[in-house]
Amino acid sequence: MISLARNFARDLARSFGRGGRPLRIGYGRIFHEACAASPIATTEADFHRMHHLEGAALAEAAGLRGTELKSFFPHAELTGFTQAARVAGGVEAVPLSSSMAVPSGPLTRQCFEWLLDRLLTNLREAGRLDGVYLALHGSMEVHDLGEAPEAVILRRVREVIGPEVKLAASFDLHGNMTPAIVDALDVLVAYRTNPHWDLAPTGFRAGTRLIRLLRAHVRPTHAWRKLPLVLGGGTTINFVAPMRGVFTRMRAMERDPRVLTTSLFMVHPFTSSTELGWSVHVTTDGDEALAARLVDELADLAWKAAKTPIPQLFDIDSAIRRVETSTWRKLGPVTLVDTDDIVGAGAPGGSTQILKALIERRSTLTALVPIHDPSLFSRLADVPLGTTLDVVVAGTPGYDQPPVSLRARVTARSDSELGARVLLRVGNLHVAISKDPPLPIHPRYWKELGVVVRKADLMVQKNFFHYRIFHVAVSFEHVPVASRGATNLQRVRDLPTRVPSRPRVELADWREGDRMLRA
Ligand SMILES: [Zn+2]
């Protein structure tokens, strides 16, 4: 009878928190991807503009009936987490603060202090917690901070919660892992998809693992490796070779009940960290040898897959020549992917290089070119449609782009969720001057300006992949172009990292670099 009561008490403790009361787990987010070469500093206003919620408002947004990230993802990591808590039962999910801004230049110190203050204040006011879950990126950057912001966030959170409370975090798979980040965590998971659509499942996985740890169902044992590797893997899309093989193997590993998590990080290469590198991470249930064996296997697989070089880039003139001779443009515009000015990776979208080349060539192609130029945008704000005037397109202030002089007609303007913009026309050339960094990933971007994308010969995109989903029946040839901007891959190749890394240095093995990077 006594042992029965003892068993019952143990089961109760396992299904609830310590001492039979529900578990209390705080959850929040600080999320930003930085591009060190962007001249636009990220400030508090950028987070307010995109996403900042606290307390009850956050709880509502992160519920199944809420909208977590407006006009982006209705359900993201924190909704996934609250669902894990609901499914587990006996867990109170306690909202802290959640902040996200579009990828851009590094954060100002003031902005970072504000983000920390909001998170830590909510954490102090949350009362006693058993665990904390945070959705982080892993490639943030803060002006003059001197270390990874995520490491600072985790350290400051630990100072508030003390050594006993368990800490879990999820990351974008473009995160740059460091010992200070990995060692601070009891549970670590990452996105599995690139482009990313598995935000909610990632939060759910973090939540279930954290709850199982708190109920003493599992004993997470970590192993990780950091590869001296900055670029590679072709287009690094998870469902296309060569990376598909690696992700398939990771899922197979996780079918073993002893394996709790596997993660692969293909690093975002545009921060100014000198410790850049891909990494792999494995958690097992108390089996150190298994974790070490699997993480080495994963490191070998990723190292080999990354030998696939990134696609060949064209210079602007050869790219335009290619459009001129392309037969595909009879069916829809050939896309020039401006790989130097990728807005989704934090570039400002104010490169004038392709526009300049089209003007100098006196091109007769029907071309669609989006350019971020807030000064010109405000100058054109009150100009009546139909007016012809002389303008200078200079791009993003401080971006050091060549100014392009045009005699153009103002033909349309639009202010929608796709951004505020004015359309200039010079012959067959359509230039959308935008107030904010442009993301014309949907044909609606041009349609709202009265332009039919299908009828164009050439379209400029500031995005690696997402636009293809919306242009699958519109654009049939895609030409990656190197110009001179914030997401220049040649600059990444030449970047002096602390540890010799691929592709700048050809290395036979990752082990030496791993030792140095994790030291
Ligand atoms: Zn990413």
Side-chain angles (χ1 to χ4, degrees):
M1 194 62 198
I2 290 170
S3 75
L4 204 69
R6 204 185 291 135
N7 285 348
F8 177 72
R10 194 196 58 210
D11 289 347
L12 196 71
R14 283 190 167 193
S15 53
F16 287 91
R18 286 145 193 176
R21 61 175 176 79
L23 290 173
R24 296 189 80 241
I25 305 178
Y27 64 95
R29 167 192 282 118
I30 296 182
F31 198 99
H32 187 253
E33 182 178 84
C35 175
S38 167
I40 308 178
T42 300
T43 66
E44 194 181 319
D46 295 306
F47 286 89
H48 285 296
R49 191 154 43 234
M50 182 174 184
H51 170 83
H52 176 75
L53 293 170
E54 301 184 21
L58 174 57
E60 197 186 323
L64 263 190
R65 266 179 243 145
T67 302
E68 190 177 335
L69 302 174
K70 237 182 268 155
S71 73
F72 180 46
F73 267 104
H75 301 317
E77 292 96 324
L78 302 185
T79 312
F81 169 77
T82 61
Q83 293 317 299
R86 192 179 60 83
V87 169
V91 180
E92 185 193 345
V94 183
L96 304 169
S97 72
S98 175
S99 315
M100 184 184 207
V102 292
S104 186
L107 273 62
T108 62
R109 282 301 285 268
Q110 186 276 332
C111 175
F112 187 53
E113 291 306 327
W114 168 76
L115 288 169
L116 276 173
D117 174 68
R118 293 326 305 151
L119 181 67
L120 300 176
T121 299
N122 278 284
L123 196 57
R124 282 188 208 99
E125 290 168 358
R128 197 193 142 155
L129 295 172
D130 301 290
V132 171
Y133 161 61
L134 299 175
L136 304 175
H137 186 288
S139 285
M140 279 178 70
E141 186 164 331
V142 176
H143 282 299
D144 306 321
L145 189 66
E147 63 178 315
E150 284 85 356
V152 177
I153 294 166
L154 295 173
R155 194 167 64 232
R156 298 283 298 274
V157 166
R158 181 58 79 191
E159 283 165 14
V160 173
I161 62 181
E164 297 302 317
V165 175
K166 301 298 183 197
L167 188 50
S170 61
F171 295 89
D172 187 291
L173 64 64
H174 292 110
N176 185 42
M177 294 297 104
T178 67
I181 293 173
V182 176
D183 296 344
L185 290 166
D186 300 293
V187 173
L188 183 160
V189 299
Y191 298 163
R192 286 283 178 70
T193 55
N194 186 38
H196 319 315
W197 57 263
D198 64 333
L199 281 63
T202 301
F204 187 86
R205 287 194 296 134
T208 52
R209 272 111 188 122
L210 177 58
I211 292 163
R212 288 171 70 199
L213 163 64
L214 287 169
R215 287 181 173 154
H217 293 177
V218 291
R219 200 159 53 84
T221 305
H222 304 256
W224 74 293
R225 304 287 181 258
K226 184 147 178 170
L227 312 180
L229 166 62
V230 177
L231 278 182
T235 49
T236 67
I237 292 168
N238 71 293
F239 51 86
V240 173
M243 298 321 298
R244 183 170 67 173
V246 188
F247 285 96
T248 304
R249 179 66 189 125
M250 284 160 63
R251 277 194 300 276
M253 284 178 179
E254 282 192 16
R255 280 198 283 272
D256 182 333
R258 296 171 300 169
V259 180
L260 303 178
T261 70
T262 60
S263 307
L264 165 67
F265 293 92
M266 303 181 283
V267 76
H268 170 72
F270 302 116
T271 67
S272 63
S273 167
T274 56
E275 308 274 317
L276 278 183
W278 286 31
S279 43
V280 286
H281 182 276
V282 170
T283 318
T284 61
D285 186 5
D287 193 333
E288 217 168 295
L290 179 66
R293 182 163 65 72
L294 294 181
V295 88
D296 282 338
E297 183 194 330
L298 220 46
D300 283 334
L301 277 177
W303 183 254
K304 210 171 137 206
K307 290 222 162 94
T308 309
I310 57 166
Q312 186 212 338
L313 305 179
F314 291 78
D315 64 63
I316 297 173
D317 273 324
S318 355
I320 294 173
R321 268 200 307 278
R322 207 181 153 99
V323 180
E324 285 164 350
T325 57
S326 172
T327 46
W328 286 112
R329 79 178 156 92
K330 293 192 175 63
L331 300 172
V334 175
T335 303
L336 298 198
V337 177
D338 193 356
T339 63
D340 269 42
D341 200 27
I342 298 293
V343 171
S351 168
T352 59
Q353 315 267 351
I354 295 176
L355 174 66
K356 177 169 170 274
L358 286 166
I359 295 287
E360 282 172 359
R361 285 178 73 84
R362 298 178 192 278
S363 170
T364 54
L365 294 169
T366 300
L368 313 182
V369 187
I371 295 181
H372 174 233
D373 188 336
S375 324
L376 181 55
F377 175 86
S378 39
R379 198 197 138 196
L380 296 173
D382 299 320
V383 174
L385 296 184
T387 309
T388 298
L389 74 176
D390 291 316
V391 296
V392 178
V393 182
T396 309
Y399 199 25
D400 197 23
Q401 293 290 325
V404 180
S405 299
L406 303 174
R407 182 155 185 83
R409 194 151 53 90
V410 181
T411 55
R413 52 170 59 89
S414 175
D415 188 357
S416 71
E417 58 175 29
L418 299 176
R421 56 223 188 271
V422 179
L423 187 66
L424 295 179
R425 226 180 132 170
V426 186
N428 288 335
L429 184 61
H430 299 72
V431 186
I433 300 296
S434 67
K435 186 173 163 216
D436 297 307
L439 259 182
I441 60 171
H442 199 285
R444 215 150 32 86
Y445 188 89
W446 293 103
K447 197 177 168 198
E448 287 173 357
L449 295 168
V451 179
V452 180
V453 172
R454 189 187 292 281
K455 290 187 182 161
D457 299 307
L458 181 161
M459 159 177 80
V460 174
Q461 281 291 347
K462 309 271 181 187
N463 173 274
F464 280 124
F465 186 84
H466 276 91
Y467 77 90
R468 291 202 191 196
I469 298 168
F470 304 107
H471 291 85
V472 75
V474 179
S475 178
F476 305 95
E477 188 176 3
H478 309 267
V479 183
V481 183
S483 51
R484 194 169 58 82
T487 50
N488 181 284
L489 289 166
Q490 191 58 47
R491 186 174 339 109
V492 172
R493 274 204 188 95
D494 300 339
L495 198 72
T497 44
R498 183 175 70 81
V499 170
S501 299
R502 272 167 61 191
R504 187 167 64 95
V505 182
E506 197 35 62
L507 297 166
D509 193 63
W510 53 267
R511 283 167 180 81
E512 170 80 24
D514 166 57
R515 244 194 329 274
M516 292 162 76
L517 283 163
R518 285 192 299 126

